[in-house]
Amino acid sequence: MLTSFRSNLETRKYSKALQGYLEPFQLSLEKLQEVSHRLRRDMTRGLGKHSHHNAPVKMLPTFVRATPDGTEKGDFLALDLGGTHFRVLHVRVVEEEQKVLKMDSQICTIPTDMMLGPGQQLFDHIAACLGDFISSRNLKGQTLPLGFTFSFPCEQKEIDKSILIRWTKGFKCSGVEGEDVVKLLKEAIQRRGDYEIGTVAMVNDTVGTMMSCGYRDQSCEIGMIIGTGTNACYMEEMKNVKRVEGEDGRMCINTEWGGFGDDGSLKDIQTTFDVMVDEASVNPGVHIFEKMISGMYLGEIVRLLLVKLTEDKFLFSGQASETLLMPGSFETNVIYPFISAEHSLENVEHILTKLGLKWDEVDARVVRVCCDTISSRSARLCAAALAAITNRIRNNRKLGHLKTTVGVDGTVYKKHPNFGEELQATVRLLAPACHITFMVSEDGSGKGAAMVTAVAQRLARQSRLLEDSEGEDEEEEEEDENN
């Protein structure tokens, strides 16, 4: 019940007026189906030999040609760079136990000025942290293979060669865009000269998520991230990957679906607040879809809506605080207590008071509705994108029904109280012929990077074994002819 100082008539008028602000965020199932079809069209463009140049959804080949089969083993280093922190890990893959064990890890901070400074400074910092980890864990002297998770749009040329297309997530380091990030890392390590690494496998975080789940569930052929940013990968038929030679088998494609809408195709569902978020970002016009659904932006969309409601005297008696008017002050993790049934009113009170606001129960309920509405749109748009992938896989394989597993990672999916449930319910409606199991990744960016490296080594060993056996067959044939 709303507080008694407002009559039922006032409440009805209030609710109707509020609905006018929320309606642009409430997408019908028909509109979501339309969005899903647009993404499928853009995916085809991104896979094309010539059309990919202008495609907003880049559909980048990863050169990962297989998912785990359970025979992988060994010790690996993993380096996970995707935000304001990065991690270094020592990972052990144990074949007998079908486990990927994290032996040890270390988190390193990237200062804000370093995110915007020279690229060499950033990679020297990464190399220094990697060296400290190797030294402190007594791994010096071992030349371990490295799985390198680099969660930015890259064009991968080989498993160990990856060109940064553009920075996202607040990074703007000079001298890196258009360069091979594996080469930049190796050069930084060489400048130090006090340790060595083995082969490097370049891994997008979505691929790492898929691979870490794939070791536990070998039907996992999709990886999805919904955290600070958002992205997905999946196993595509080689015959459709026009930019890479070969027709047989499959290859993991990093969709970079965050760029969906960069050509203006989502303007009909962008709200005024989405446009404001985009214009205020470090990369206006880039990664439009990501800015509508990911954790880096959801809180800011809510804040802008709350400011507008306050200006129009629907909230806080028309009095906004200095904190609420400050960009970035309403972070995405602030949304969760407003929505979760487990969080008490005291938590909500604490948040609103911390924002310097004078509020009442009606204000708290309106903020909750705003948080819920914007979160719901995020989950439903994500479902539309995932439905585009699952429907494509099913059509590729000419199946009446597809059964597959999606490996998922990211703070929004893991911490938002309703996000996963709404995403799953919506994707069932948009892809009714697909039975999808969702598996939360256990440290996908770290363990998954090690798995990609392990699978690459397994395939290389199998390739060498095949070459050896072919040579032996020829020798046997020669012996038979001589006899």
Side-chain angles (χ1 to χ4, degrees), residues 165-434:
I165 296 172
R166 60 174 173 261
W167 285 115
T168 57
K169 305 177 192 174
F171 278 76
K172 207 71 180 173
C173 293
S174 60
V176 185
E177 291 182 352
E179 299 295 326
D180 177 9
V181 293
V182 175
K183 182 169 177 272
L184 294 176
L185 175 63
K186 286 181 173 178
E187 287 174 349
I189 291 170
Q190 286 169 359
R191 279 194 292 275
R192 286 182 60 86
D194 59 343
Y195 67 91
E196 293 182 1
I197 55 171
T199 56
V200 176
M202 189 72 188
V203 187
N204 179 270
D205 55 355
T206 55
V207 182
T209 296
M210 180 186 77
M211 297 294 269
S212 68
C213 292
Y215 199 56
R216 292 183 285 150
D217 178 353
Q218 289 169 25
S219 66
C220 182
E221 295 185 286
I222 301 170
M224 182 171 66
I225 304 286
I226 314 157
T228 304
T230 184
N231 194 12
C233 70
Y234 72 102
M235 296 302 291
E236 175 63 78
E237 308 302 310
M238 274 298 298
K239 64 184 179 183
N240 297 329
V241 187
K242 304 298 186 185
R243 298 165 60 199
V244 179
E245 288 184 6
E247 293 274 317
D248 299 329
R250 294 171 183 153
M251 179 181 286
C252 182
I253 296 296
N254 166 21
T255 66
E256 288 296 338
W257 75 13
F260 181 34
D262 286 5
D263 60 351
S265 65
L266 295 179
K267 280 194 173 181
D268 59 326
I269 63 168
Q270 271 185 291
T271 68
T272 305
F273 309 105
D274 295 314
V275 173
M276 291 169 70
V277 164
D278 176 46
E279 289 176 346
S281 69
V282 296
N283 53 351
V286 175
H287 272 213
I288 296 299
F289 186 63
E290 179 171 273
K291 288 170 183 170
M292 296 174 77
I293 72 173
S294 78
M296 188 166 186
Y297 307 99
L298 282 182
E300 183 64 5
I301 296 171
V302 172
R303 187 191 72 82
L304 290 169
L305 176 58
L306 298 184
V307 168
K308 177 62 176 171
L309 287 168
T310 306
E311 288 173 351
D312 292 353
K313 303 195 182 325
F314 278 89
L315 269 178
F316 313 126
S317 302
Q319 299 297 312
S321 65
E322 286 186 19
T323 306
L324 184 64
L325 294 173
M326 190 184 304
S329 60
F330 198 98
E331 295 181 351
T332 297
N333 60 12
V334 172
I335 291 174
Y336 310 152
F338 280 97
I339 295 174
S340 175
E342 295 177 7
H343 286 83
S344 64
L345 184 61
E346 285 77 14
N347 285 338
V348 173
E349 289 176 357
H350 174 72
I351 291 167
L352 292 176
T353 304
K354 192 176 178 182
L355 288 167
L357 296 162
K358 293 180 179 178
W359 58 279
D360 58 36
E361 185 184 343
V362 175
D363 292 326
R365 288 176 183 270
V366 171
V367 174
R368 178 190 174 116
V369 171
C370 292
C371 289
D372 191 46
T373 301
I374 290 168
S375 298
S376 175
R377 182 190 67 159
S378 172
R380 287 164 69 80
L381 281 173
C382 201
L386 181 58
I389 288 179
T390 55
N391 283 325
R392 179 180 176 86
I393 293 173
R394 186 177 65 82
N395 290 336
N396 278 348
R397 300 177 189 177
K398 297 179 172 56
L399 298 172
H401 187 269
L402 173 71
K403 187 175 182 181
T404 191
T405 297
V406 179
V408 194
D409 204 351
T411 52
V412 174
Y413 187 89
K414 288 180 174 180
K415 294 185 177 181
H416 191 291
N418 302 335
F419 192 97
E421 185 180 334
E422 181 144 21
L423 186 155
Q424 292 175 37
T426 307
V427 83
R428 281 195 293 269
L429 297 173
L430 296 172
C434 301

